[in-house]
């Protein structure tokens, strides 16, 4: 119990200190928006938080990150509270379409589809499992024509992003140290303390002939305890915590919360001209109020707009902007 109490006290102190820092370097108000930015990133989730932080490393460019939701709360920082941050504010609270052959225990045969609506996005709602996927998947994407997405090309970026403490944790199982990075912003560690049932499960799998392995080294076949994104203090390691918040003190990075982007404005539309496949010249959004109720503004883009609004939100925004399959646009 003394050990458990010390861990809880350390977590409380870490969360309190982080909250004080965040108040000093928080999001901007709608009145502070510039008319134009070099880059506008739409969606501050698992991808957008990283992209905005990386782009703003160049002090000669201006970056605006727009998020439809707000900031995270205390519960988002506590790994054990992950079940309490879904289906509440900070979650889009989506549902699947009715399923024909499954979900029979659910009303209307529809299940919940948690999607983050806050800084850090779904990385603030998930169960913090760190799973890269299999090398063969990346190689197949490259074979489809997506240059640079093969496993050997993306691995250096995984290594650069990580601060893996896996090698310092005993009894955790196989570890391929060449597949992990150290000193990066994203914490990666084995779940601690280890659950005896999890240990027994892994040992049973090995006894049954499955290899004990590091499932993040490109071959996920085998057994292992799961790796998670949690800081040493016990605080959740969302992409906002790991990448975005440390960058928010930069003068060239503006982060706007409660800004709902409704349209990408193409250059041909901005100038009243004709043309297909034109670049994005501006984004249209409602800002300064609750979701969808603020003032409508149009913010110009000098270089690029990055759509990182999630698996659902990105596709929806493209369709709202007139970009997508003809049959969907004509509905």
């Amino acid at each position: 119990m003394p050990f458990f109490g010390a861990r809880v006290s350390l977590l409380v102190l870490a969360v309190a200190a982080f909250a004080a820092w965040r108040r000093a370097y928080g999001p901007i108000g709608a009145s502070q928006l510039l008319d134009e930015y070099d880059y506008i990133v739409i969606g501050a989730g698992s991808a957008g938080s990283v992209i905005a932080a990386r782009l703003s490393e160049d002090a000669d460019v201006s970056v605006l990150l727009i998020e439809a939701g707000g900031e995270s709360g205390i519960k988002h920082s506590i790994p054990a509270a992950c079940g309490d941050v879904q289906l509440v504010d900070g979650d889009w609270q989506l549902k699947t379409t009715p399923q024909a052959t499954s979900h029979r225990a659910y009303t209307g045969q529809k299940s919940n589809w948690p999607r983050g609506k806050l800084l850090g996005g779904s990385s603030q709602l998930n169960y913090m499992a760190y799973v890269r996927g299999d090398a063969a998947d990346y190689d197949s994407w490259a074979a489809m024509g997506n240059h640079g997405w093969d496993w050997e090309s993306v691995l250096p970026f995984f290594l650069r992003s990580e601060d893996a403490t896996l090698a310092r944790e005993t009894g955790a199982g196989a570890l391929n140290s060449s597949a992990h990075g150290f000193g990066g912003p994203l914490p990666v560690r084995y779940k601690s303390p280890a659950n005896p049932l999890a240990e027994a499960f892994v040992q049973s799998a090995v006894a049954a002939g499955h290899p004990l392995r590091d499932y993040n080294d490109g071959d996920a076949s085998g057994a292992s305890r799961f790796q998670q994104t949690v800081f040493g203090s016990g605080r959740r390691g969302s992409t906002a915590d790991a990448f975005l918040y440390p960058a928010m003190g930069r003068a060239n990075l503006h982060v706007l919360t409660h800004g709902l982007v409704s349209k990408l404005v193409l250059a041909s539309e901005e100038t009243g001209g004709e043309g297909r496949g034109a670049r994005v010249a501006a984004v249209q959004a409602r800002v300064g109020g609750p979701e969808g109720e603020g003032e409508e503004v149009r913010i110009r883009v000098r270089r690029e707009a990055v759509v990182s609004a999630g698996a659902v939100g990105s596709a929806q925004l493209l369709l709202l902007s007139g970009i997508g399959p003809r049959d969907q646009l004509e509905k």
Side-chain angles (χ1 to χ4, degrees), residues 120-147:
S122 297
S123 73
Q124 297 279 22
L125 310 185
N126 63 20
Y127 283 72
M128 295 149 287
Y130 182 67
V131 184
R132 295 174 182 167
D134 202 272
D137 292 326
Y138 292 88
D139 292 341
S140 69
W141 298 333
M144 293 176 188
N146 299 293
H147 178 70

Side-chain angles (χ1 to χ4, degrees), residues 278-303:
R279 72 174 188 87
V280 174
V283 301
Q284 190 168 296
R286 287 196 174 274
V287 302
E291 180 186 325
E293 297 180 13
E295 173 191 4
E296 187 169 88
V297 298
R298 183 172 286 193
I299 311 164
R300 295 191 301 275
V301 185
R302 276 191 289 267
R303 296 192 182 186

Side-chain angles (χ1 to χ4, degrees), residues 260-327:
L260 185 63
V261 177
S262 58
K263 186 177 183 180
L264 303 172
V265 182
L266 300 182
S268 56
E269 181 181 350
E270 180 82 347
T271 60
E274 298 291 332
R276 295 180 60 187
R279 72 174 188 87
V280 174
V283 301
Q284 190 168 296
R286 287 196 174 274
V287 302
E291 180 186 325
E293 297 180 13
E295 173 191 4
E296 187 169 88
V297 298
R298 183 172 286 193
I299 311 164
R300 295 191 301 275
V301 185
R302 276 191 289 267
R303 296 192 182 186
E304 294 181 21
V306 180
V307 180
S308 54
V312 177
S314 291
Q316 180 189 35
L317 179 58
L318 291 173
L319 290 172
L320 290 173
S321 305
I323 304 170
R326 181 184 294 275
D327 62 331

